[in-house]
Amino acid sequence: MSALFEPYNLREVTIPNRVWMPPMCQYSAAPEGPLAGAPNDWHFAHYGARATGGTGLIIVEATAVSPEGRISPYDLGIWNDTQVEAFRRITRFLVAQGVVPAIQLAHGGRKSSTERPWKGGEPVGPEAHGWQPLGPSPVAFADGHPVPDELTVDQIREIVGQFVAAARRALDAGFEIAEIHGAHGYLINSFLSPHSNHRTDAYGGSYENRTRFALEVVDAVREVWPDDKPLFFRISATDWLEEGGWTPDDTVRFAGDLHARGIDLLDVSTGGNASGVRIPTGPGYQVPFAARVKAETPMPVAAVGMITDAEQAEKIVANGEADAVLLGRELLRNPSWARHAARELGDEVRVPDQYLRSV
């Protein structure tokens, strides 16, 4: 058996292989009305295709813990029971295909209330289902973006409670793993980084203060998430700034804090919190950040970033750089990537009976 197709155990959950699907927003939910934020036929077909293609773990896209926590008005949410019932259709199908269903719980913060990417991705106001964004400080993400309202301490506590309620609903919806979104410039990430967090109270300034909100969310969610089920955290390992931002050293330190609080795996990405930065992309360009966390802490990690072929993915896992790989755009291009990779590596992956004629 190749390393890529070895099962992976976390707490009492067994993931059948190390080929995982990361959260990727589809911007396809209703923006308003009784079905706002609820997954629909598009989401069912989208996730179902990757499940039948042999992916071991599917993390459903950034799912907002409140209406104002959506990145766009068309994002998924999990703030009401109608959404929970709609998610159950997806989780039932994923489980039936032998896939572990996971969900990313998120709040968009100062990057909220934007148009869908194929419509330009610019901020939108009430005339286009938008709202006023919130953030740690009144610092806009980029030129042309609104200055967010600075969260009060009471509002911060309210959002912690929203993450808790969302975690309870995620469990009710049939998800086996929850991931807290602390990356890409969204609310939790913007608290972590001094680039976006200019507060002078207990939630800003020192490393301990800037990580306070994130750790409060982790502690509160871990308390209600069952002991037998894993909890992930997604992080941007660097802002890609020469100074004044979140750094890889911060990430290593924070990974230790998260591990001590019951986070079972760090999903390591980069960037998204500072506009206009130059990111040196290339095959596997973010893998070294995950590899460093794995080498210097007890935290298991998953790696992302232009991982596209079977041999490349196999080496990442076999060499101990990461415990799993998350394939984003490659799984959009090829929902059956895992099945093809298994064949290339001389291994096996589950194929639905209906597709056996294709093997």
Side-chain angles (χ1 to χ4, degrees):
M1 179 177 289
S2 66
L4 193 60
F5 288 94
E6 288 181 358
Y8 189 59
N9 299 313
L10 285 169
R11 296 191 184 245
E12 298 301 316
V13 174
T14 299
I15 303 168
N17 60 49
R18 316 299 182 94
V19 180
W20 300 354
M21 180 177 175
M24 290 179 285
C25 289
Q26 297 297 291
Y27 307 101
S28 297
E32 292 184 344
L35 296 179
N40 52 39
D41 287 349
W42 173 265
H43 301 94
F44 181 82
H46 170 65
Y47 292 112
R50 279 79 196 165
T52 58
T55 308
L57 170 75
I58 290 177
I59 308 177
V60 168
E61 63 204 77
T63 303
V65 300
S66 67
E68 63 273 13
R70 292 172 291 175
I71 301 166
S72 86
Y74 301 90
D75 280 8
L76 292 181
I78 194 161
W79 64 79
N80 66 43
D81 293 339
T82 298
Q83 295 157 346
V84 169
E85 184 57 37
F87 275 119
R88 287 190 186 125
R89 181 187 180 208
I90 293 173
T91 59
R92 282 195 300 266
F93 186 80
L94 267 56
V95 170
Q97 305 310 310
V99 177
V100 175
I103 186 170
Q104 185 183 71
L105 306 178
H107 192 297
R110 66 181 186 151
K111 294 176 73 175
S112 293
S113 190
T114 57
E115 183 54 275
R116 292 161 290 186
W118 55 87
K119 295 285 188 178
E122 296 302 314
V124 295
E127 73 286 352
H129 313 293
W131 58 91
Q132 172 62 25
L134 305 169
S137 304
V139 179
F141 168 65
D143 292 343
H145 283 245
V147 174
D149 288 346
E150 181 173 298
L151 287 163
T152 66
V153 171
D154 286 344
Q155 287 175 312
I156 290 170
R157 291 170 180 161
E158 181 182 359
I159 291 173
V160 173
Q162 291 168 350
F163 271 93
V164 170
R168 288 193 172 110
R169 287 194 171 97
L171 184 65
D172 190 26
F175 289 100
E176 291 290 315
I177 296 173
E179 176 174 272
I180 296 169
H181 196 354
H184 301 153
Y186 301 118
L187 187 62
I188 291 176
N189 186 207
S190 66
F191 267 87
L192 294 175
S193 174
H195 174 74
S196 45
N197 183 348
H198 298 177
R199 299 176 74 100
T200 58
D201 63 2
Y203 290 93
S206 67
Y207 166 89
E208 290 80 7
N209 284 356
R210 287 183 284 107
T211 60
R212 188 183 306 278
F213 172 55
L215 295 178
E216 287 179 351
V217 171
V218 168
D219 288 342
V221 171
R222 184 72 270 182
E223 187 173 344
V224 301
W225 195 248
D227 288 341
D228 62 344
K229 297 185 186 301
L231 184 62
F232 292 2
F233 190 98
R234 188 164 222 198
I235 196 163
S236 285
T238 176
D239 284 341
W240 294 104
L241 293 169
E242 292 185 4
E243 58 181 23
W246 184 262
T247 70
D249 289 342
D250 292 328
T251 296
V252 171
R253 180 180 178 182
F254 192 50
D257 296 339
L258 292 172
H259 186 265
R261 282 173 156 82
I263 291 294
D264 299 287
L265 181 137
L266 196 64
D267 175 357
V268 184
S269 186
T270 66
N273 191 48
S275 65
V277 297
R278 294 179 61 85
I279 300 176
T281 61
Y285 72 102
Q286 296 179 121
V287 174
F289 298 98
R292 183 179 169 193
V293 172
K294 185 167 176 59
E296 297 182 23
T297 78
M299 177 72 80
V301 299
V304 302
M306 295 184 70
I307 301 169
T308 59
D309 65 72
E311 183 178 352
Q312 175 196 22
E314 170 72 12
K315 286 181 178 178
I316 291 168
V317 177
N319 293 344
E321 296 173 274
D323 298 282
V325 292
L326 290 155
L327 283 76
R329 290 175 176 83
E330 193 63 22
L331 276 174
L332 294 183
R333 289 186 283 263
N334 180 5
S336 297
W337 188 94
R339 195 186 314 158
H340 298 309
R343 184 180 299 117
E344 184 176 334
L345 296 171
D347 219 311
E348 295 182 2
V349 69
R350 181 182 177 191
V351 179
D353 293 343
Q354 298 91 330
Y355 291 173
L356 283 174
R357 75 190 77 174
S358 71
V359 176

